[in-house]
Amino acid sequence: MIVNEIFAKDYVIPSKLGAFAINPYVGCPHACRYCYASFMMRHTNHREPWGEFVDIKTVTKPISLKRISGKSVVMSSVTDPYNPLEAKYGVTRRILEQLVYSDCHLQIITKSKLVLRDIDLLQKMRHISVAVSINTADEQFRRDMDRADSIADRMETLRILHDSGIYAVLFMAPIFPFITDWKEIICRTRDFVDCYWLDGLNLRGSYANDIMSYIRTVYPQFYDDYLNIYYRGNKSGLLEFNRRICNWCDSNGINYSAYFRKA
């Protein structure tokens, strides 16, 4: 792992995901094979594979709380704020210490139980939600796809957040068509999840061939379906898959937001 400390002008940047985003790090050691953020490679001087480098940001000026007042702030849009290096460097915690009395609407997205370290700060915030990413109930599939915490640890993290009064979101993304066991994930977690965010798999850029090779090897029964969806432009099977998820959630009173096409 290549680790550098870099200086940045500001932690807060404009974002399409919300009004603003905060990314305490550049790169992410979770090395998710499907990570859309790998495009960040071209904005760095790194030649290492995605997941093999992390830049730790240092910003000397304080965050302008007036600038983000009442606005949506996402932490993080292109890295995990609780990647393993956070335990040593504490950049995310120092940022939260600045935000604790802000009235921004902060959304934290992570795959790590390390977020529980900062419950004392999160409980002081006026508008806070924490989304934990889980897109499978199969631990072997999880190990094939990322180096982050186990499924059990992520589910337990959601439970503790919920029981601590933190708005707990399960971010089911990316949902792998015909592979992600979405119903099992919801049934195992619905007692302590306040909302589900559902998002689909986008195959683009450098990781598309890797994912397709994986599907062909491990899930050959779905390989032709993936070719139809992602290479041949026939998305009817995908749309039906998405509709089935949403219809089940509607019928079972699940609070959710779907970010994929349903029709």
Side-chain angles (χ1 to χ4, degrees):
M1 180 67 62
I2 305 299
V3 179
N4 297 307
E5 297 186 54
I6 62 173
F7 288 94
K9 294 180 179 179
D10 202 329
Y11 283 123
V12 181
I13 60 172
S15 172
K16 295 180 180 179
L17 294 181
F20 298 101
I22 297 176
N23 292 287
Y25 301 90
V26 177
C28 183
H30 291 334
C32 300
R33 292 172 71 167
Y34 47 74
C35 184
Y36 68 89
S38 58
F39 77 89
M40 289 293 294
M41 284 283 293
R42 65 175 178 262
H43 300 300
T44 72
N45 293 320
H46 289 280
R47 296 295 179 266
E48 301 84 14
W50 181 252
E52 298 300 327
F53 70 89
V54 175
D55 293 337
I56 297 102
K57 288 185 182 179
T58 296
V59 175
T60 56
K61 73 174 184 178
I63 293 172
S64 170
L65 301 187
K66 180 178 180 180
R67 182 187 181 202
I68 62 176
S69 177
K71 303 294 178 56
S72 172
V73 179
V74 177
M75 183 193 286
S76 297
S77 57
V78 291
T79 186
D80 194 320
Y82 288 100
N83 72 72
L85 292 169
E86 168 63 17
K88 175 180 179 181
Y89 290 94
V91 182
T92 296
R93 183 168 178 90
R94 290 195 295 276
I95 292 171
L96 292 179
E97 288 171 344
Q98 296 186 62
L99 298 179
V100 70
Y101 297 114
S102 167
D103 66 346
C104 73
H105 295 256
L106 181 64
Q107 298 176 333
I108 296 174
I109 304 172
T110 184
K111 286 182 167 74
S112 174
K113 62 186 177 185
L114 183 57
V115 66
L116 299 177
R117 178 201 64 186
D118 294 336
I119 278 183
D120 62 320
L121 297 177
L122 301 179
Q123 288 176 320
K124 295 177 182 178
M125 294 184 172
R126 295 170 60 184
H127 310 289
I128 178 67
S129 63
V130 178
V132 178
S133 299
I134 301 173
N135 73 338
T136 182
D138 181 347
E139 186 60 25
Q140 182 58 58
F141 181 85
R142 197 280 308 164
R143 286 194 296 267
D144 289 345
M145 288 294 148
D146 68 55
R147 299 199 296 244
D149 285 347
S150 69
I151 297 163
D153 280 347
R154 298 184 208 183
M155 289 186 176
E156 182 62 15
T157 296
L158 283 165
R159 182 188 297 277
I160 294 171
L161 289 166
H162 175 81
D163 291 349
S164 300
I166 309 299
Y167 192 83
V169 177
L170 194 155
F171 188 22
M172 199 183 305
I175 297 174
F176 278 68
F178 322 116
I179 296 173
T180 293
D181 32 19
W182 53 270
K183 188 182 297 186
E184 181 180 355
I185 294 169
I186 295 173
C187 289
R188 287 173 60 179
T189 60
R190 63 182 301 179
D191 289 342
F192 49 86
V193 166
D194 296 295
C195 184
Y196 293 85
W197 295 346
L198 311 176
D199 202 2
L201 173 68
N202 289 316
L203 285 186
R204 59 188 180 189
S206 59
Y207 63 84
N209 289 337
D210 177 52
I211 293 297
M212 288 300 292
S213 177
Y214 176 83
I215 298 299
R216 183 175 56 213
T217 302
V218 182
Y219 294 96
Q221 67 273 33
F222 300 126
Y223 183 67
D224 197 57
D225 293 311
Y226 274 67
L227 286 175
N228 280 333
I229 293 168
Y230 295 106
Y231 288 87
R232 298 169 183 157
N234 181 359
K235 299 188 181 297
S236 58
L238 174 63
L239 294 176
E240 176 57 33
F241 176 77
N242 292 343
R243 280 195 295 268
R244 190 161 64 250
I245 298 174
C246 294
N247 289 342
W248 187 90
C249 288
D250 291 337
S251 298
N252 287 274
I254 303 299
N255 185 27
Y256 74 98
S257 294
Y259 300 101
F260 47 62
R261 285 184 59 198
K262 292 182 282 185

